[in-house]
């Protein structure tokens, strides 16, 4: 028998010939047959599992249509009333769906693009094949036709193409918008598009072949979105039953692939493995009355419940040292929790408690405008996108608060739910007849989250201070951690002033990736050009714990919140050791922030302080007065420093609000080239400035 690689390439070659339907069908049958003889997709297939259950497809399918397989179709009865009261929302869904029908996408900072497949012509029915391997920013396509186990990203990708683009598109999170559009319009073309894309995807990406099978996390998220969409459209009478059957077969194959390729063979599990088992949970739910489906439900439900204690710290934070990844992990855990409720197989009370702690942590660290602070990595990761697929705010996590409030019966989260929260809740399977989003902004919070390494002072009038001093995370793996020991973020009167510059991108730009996770790209001190925690610039998802942070004090006295901490990164890495201790005092009445740095040690060292400003801030340096005036929204603040020996400059930098997006910004750098260290103290202050 020919090698699997040769089989796949021959098949892909047939697809690429502009002969379309006949040869494509032959190629698909050929590759399906060969793959089923390989170890990539294990038996039983969907038809074989039907046979094991003693039921024909013609008997099984009407039951599947009549029964809500996932939670998404459990509250369809809420739609009519919602449509009547919210015509604007319905119009928005239709517009987003029409954009998707034109195969136009805006992913990971790409801007709107059309991934047209260059080798395949438009089909007789008008469907235009998609290039599932395309990077729209660099205009490059990844190779096709290779077995996933033979893939090496840095060897096989074209130039510096970003693999996250094909992965993101192939998560098929746009399917839910298409399914919604069918539900609110009754137009079968939206449902047909889902089946056409599944067929198209399978033709170019059969199980185990190509770049879209090289990361099981993305396979899991894709599977969940396929299951949700197919559950929503499977009673559309205008859909060919043969196509539905094929789609179910392809979804079933995803289950076998995930089960055989779990990402639990590293030093620790992470959001990747969690995505695997959550995706498998959704596939199991879709095939819940078949033997293999029941096995998948049992395995995945147990695995998800175990992971919440592995991955969630005692204070409720995800252990990967990133707030954006915390949002993703909430969605994953909440998705399986809600699915278990829907299946009548609820998770434990302990799991519900831990999930509630996760949501409390998210609410606790929110910015005054309701968005997330961006510390640690950010890649826009989601389980499913039920609201505003075309233009959702990558920094706003509040869409989860409505479903979380209803799933866990916590009314305080409802108050923070935006107006769109009722629409979101429908697609999590909830009856919203008695649900009213509160639309409130986050309230007062003064709290230290010690395991997360986050100290928060937030007021209702837009004052916000966040200090970060966290461990490397992911049980020391450091895959999404940045060097942000004793860094901070400051907002005043809802104006962001000093901010974290974000993540930018991952594998497509090594220099940019390392810059954004470096000490100098955070609001803290760098000594002798040494990183606080060690990382190898070639190892983009690894950081080695050197800082060993410690919280010394967190207290509130009247209007003043004090956080004091230290890290030992320069004790462990410098021959002449230096201990960095930093004290913050946030005045909640005036918004002023005082910073006191103490460096204890020996030797002569180069010191660099960095303060990164939001792009909306215009800084004006007055070196003689040791002041930078910060102007934004018609107001002025002053950042001042005490030591006359510090040399100031304003640098051009970048601010990245989400993956692949960045804006020019400014940063203040203060340097001492030769500082003799014994027990040195340096003071800074930021406060509102009223100019005469």
């Amino acid at each position: 028998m020919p090698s699997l690689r040769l089989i796949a390439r021959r098949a892909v070659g047939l697809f690429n010939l502009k002969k379309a339907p006949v040869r494509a069908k032959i190629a698909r049958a050929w590759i399906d047959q060969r793959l089923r003889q390989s170890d990539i997709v294990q038996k039983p297939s969907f038809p074989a599992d039907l046979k094991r259950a003693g039921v024909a497809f013609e008997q099984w399918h009407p039951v599947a249509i009549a029964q809500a397989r996932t939670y998404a179709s459990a509250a369809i009865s809420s739609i009519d009333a919602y449509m009547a009261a919210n015509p604007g929302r319905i119009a928005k869904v239709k517009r987003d769906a029409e954009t998707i029908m034109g195969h136009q996408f805006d992913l990971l900072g790409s801007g709107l693009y059309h991934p047209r497949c260059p080798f395949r012509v438009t089909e007789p029915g008008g469907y235009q094949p998609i290039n599932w391997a395309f990077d729209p920013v660099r205009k490059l396509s990844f190779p096709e036709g290779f077995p996933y186990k033979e893939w090496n990203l840095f060897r096989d990708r074209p130039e510096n193409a970003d693999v996250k683009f094909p992965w993101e598109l192939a998560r098929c999170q746009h399917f839910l918008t298409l399914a919604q559009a069918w539900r609110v319009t009754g137009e079968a073309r939206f449902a047909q598009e889902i089946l056409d894309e599944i067929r198209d995807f399978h033709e170019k990406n059969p199980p185990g072949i190509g770049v879209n099978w090289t990361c099981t996390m993305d396979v899991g998220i894709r599977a969940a979105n396929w299951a949700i969409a197919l559950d929503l459209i499977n009673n559309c009478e205008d859909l060919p039953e043969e196509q539905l059957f094929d789609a179910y077969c392809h979804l079933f194959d995803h289950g076998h692939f995930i089960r055989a390729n779990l990402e639990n063979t590293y030093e620790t599990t992470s959001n990747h493995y969690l995505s695997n088992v959550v995706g498998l949970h959704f596939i199991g739910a879709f095939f819940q009355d078949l033997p293999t489906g029941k096995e998948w439900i049992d395995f995945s439900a147990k695995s998800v419940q175990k992971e919440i204690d592995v991955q969630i710290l005692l204070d409720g934070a995800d252990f990967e040292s990133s707030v954006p990844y915390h949002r993703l992990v909430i969605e994953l855990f909440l998705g399986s929790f809600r699915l278990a409720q829907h299946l009548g197989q609820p998770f434990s009370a302990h799991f519900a408690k831990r999930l509630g702690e996760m949501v409390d942590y998210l609410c606790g660290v929110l910015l005054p405008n309701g968005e997330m602070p961006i510390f640690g990595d950010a890649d826009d990761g989601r389980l499913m996108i039920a609201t505003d697929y075309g233009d959702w705010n990558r920094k706003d996590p509040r869409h989860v608060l409505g479903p979380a409030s209803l799933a866990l019966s916590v009314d305080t989260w409802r108050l923070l739910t935006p107006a769109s929260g009722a629409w979101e809740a429908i697609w999590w399977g909830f009856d919203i007849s008695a649900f009213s989003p509160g639309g409130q902004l986050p309230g007062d919070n003064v709290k230290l989250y010690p395991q997360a390494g986050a100290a928060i002072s937030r007021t209702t009038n837009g004052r916000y201070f966040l200090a970060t001093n966290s461990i490397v995370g992911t049980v020391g793996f450091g895959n999404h951690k940045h060097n942000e020991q004793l860094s901070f973020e400051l907002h005043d009167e809802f104006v962001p002033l000093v901010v974290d510059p974000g993540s930018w991108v991952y594998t497509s730009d090594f220099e940019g990736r390392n810059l954004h996770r470096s000490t100098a790209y955070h609001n803290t001190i760098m000594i002798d050009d040494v990183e606080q925690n060690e990382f190898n610039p070639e190892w983009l998802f690894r950081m080695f714990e050197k800082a060993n942070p410690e919280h010394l004090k967190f207290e509130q006295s009247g209007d003043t919140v004090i956080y004091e901490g230290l890290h030992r990164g320069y004790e462990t890495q410098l021959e002449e050791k230096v201990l960095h201790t930093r004290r913050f005092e946030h005045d909640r009445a005036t918004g002023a922030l005082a910073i006191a740095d103490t460096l204890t040690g020996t030797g002569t060292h180069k010191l660099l302080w960095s303060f990164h400003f939001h792009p909306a801030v215009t800084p004006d340096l007055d070196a003689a007065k040791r002041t930078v005036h910060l102007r934004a929204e018609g107001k002025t603040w002053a950042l001042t420093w005490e030591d006359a020996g510090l040399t100031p400059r304003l640098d051009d930098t970048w601010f990245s609000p989400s993956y692949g997006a960045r804006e020019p910004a400014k940063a203040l750098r203060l340097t001492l080239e030769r500082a003799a260290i014994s027990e040195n103290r340096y003071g800074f202050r930021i406060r509102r400035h009223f100019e005469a």
Side-chain angles (χ1 to χ4, degrees), residues 564-578:
E564 187 173 344
L566 61 80
H567 77 85
R568 298 179 175 84
Y570 300 122
E571 279 194 329
T572 59
Q573 298 188 88
L574 297 179
E575 185 174 340
E576 294 181 299
K577 303 178 186 303
V578 179

Side-chain angles (χ1 to χ4, degrees), residues 300-484:
S300 57
K302 289 177 181 176
S303 300
V304 171
Q305 290 184 83
K306 178 181 177 182
E307 286 303 303
I308 204 162
D309 285 324
V310 172
Q311 300 194 29
I312 305 308
L313 303 173
L314 294 177
D315 54 18
D318 174 58
F319 74 160
E320 295 187 74
S321 301
S322 160
V323 177
Y325 276 85
H326 182 84
R327 172 184 62 187
L328 167 64
V329 172
I330 283 182
E331 285 195 27
L332 291 167
F333 280 126
L334 182 61
S336 264
F337 179 81
R338 178 68 186 121
L339 190 59
Q341 284 182 329
H342 172 69
L343 294 174
Q345 304 169 8
F347 286 175
S348 69
H350 172 75
F351 184 96
K353 176 178 178 293
R354 300 295 342 261
L355 181 56
E357 291 165 351
M358 293 184 69
V359 181
D360 281 338
Y361 171 73
L362 177 65
C363 294
V365 300
L366 289 177
L367 298 173
N369 66 355
E371 294 180 347
M372 298 180 295
I374 305 298
F375 68 84
D377 275 345
D379 76 342
D380 303 350
R382 299 280 300 276
L383 168 62
M384 62 183 227
I385 302 174
T387 305
D388 295 328
Y389 175 79
D391 53 0
W392 63 281
N393 182 351
R394 274 64 173 170
K395 289 188 66 179
D396 192 341
R398 290 174 294 169
H399 55 270
V400 304
L401 298 183
S405 172
L406 291 163
L408 293 165
S409 301
V410 179
D411 192 58
T412 53
W413 303 332
R414 177 190 62 81
L415 300 177
L416 296 177
T417 302
S420 60
W423 173 256
E424 180 84 19
I426 288 173
W427 305 103
W428 287 77
F430 291 106
D431 179 354
I432 61 164
S433 57
F435 179 76
S436 58
Q440 297 180 11
L441 292 176
D444 278 358
N445 190 34
V446 175
K447 189 167 183 177
L448 172 66
Y449 300 89
Q451 288 78 38
I456 298 289
S457 173
R458 184 180 65 206
T459 71
T460 55
N461 57 353
R463 296 196 167 108
Y464 181 92
F465 161 71
L466 162 68
T468 60
N469 195 28
S470 64
I471 58 176
V472 160
T474 323
V475 195
F477 202 82
N479 50 324
H480 293 304
K481 164 73 173 171
H482 289 192
N483 273 332
E484 55 210 354

Side-chain angles (χ1 to χ4, degrees), residues 649-663:
R649 70 176 190 271
L650 288 174
D651 282 356
D652 292 325
T653 60
W654 294 102
F655 171 75
S656 176
S658 60
Y659 189 94
R662 64 178 181 177
E663 309 167 40

